[in-house]
Amino acid sequence: TVKDGYRMLAAAGIPVDFLANCTQLDLVRSVLMDVPEVTAIINHCGRPFVMTGDTTAWRNDMRRIAESTKAFV
C-alpha cells in the first residue's frame, strides 16, 4: 500500500513531500497520523486560498498538523 511505502521511506530516513492544497490537508494529517514515523514536508504551505481571504480552515488544519505530526512546511 502507499502507507507501506511511506513506512519504508521513514525506515530509510527519507522524508516525504506532500504537494497538497488546503482542501487536502485533512488527508495529509490522516496519513501522518497513521504513519507517525514518517517525516513530512508540506510544500507551498499547504497552498491556502489567499485570493479569497478566507484562510480559517487552512489555519485550523495546519495547526492540527503541527500539534500532532512531524511535518515541516
Side-chain angles (χ1 to χ4, degrees):
T1 68
V2 172
K3 290 179 185 176
D4 289 333
Y6 291 151
R7 286 183 186 93
M8 290 173 61
L9 291 171
I14 300 170
V16 176
D17 280 6
F18 285 92
L19 180 57
N21 67 40
C22 59
T23 65
Q24 299 165 321
L25 292 175
D26 58 334
L27 298 172
V28 170
R29 182 175 178 273
S30 176
V31 168
L32 297 178
M33 295 298 292
D34 288 345
V35 189
E37 63 272 24
V38 75
T39 299
I41 296 101
I42 300 174
N43 288 325
H44 303 284
C45 297
R47 297 174 50 210
F49 290 147
V50 293
M51 299 300 279
T52 66
D54 184 10
T55 59
T56 303
W58 169 82
R59 246 187 350 260
N60 291 336
D61 286 339
M62 290 299 283
R63 182 178 297 114
R64 283 191 290 274
I65 288 170
E67 292 171 347
S68 59
T69 70
K70 295 190 315 185
F72 295 88
V73 178

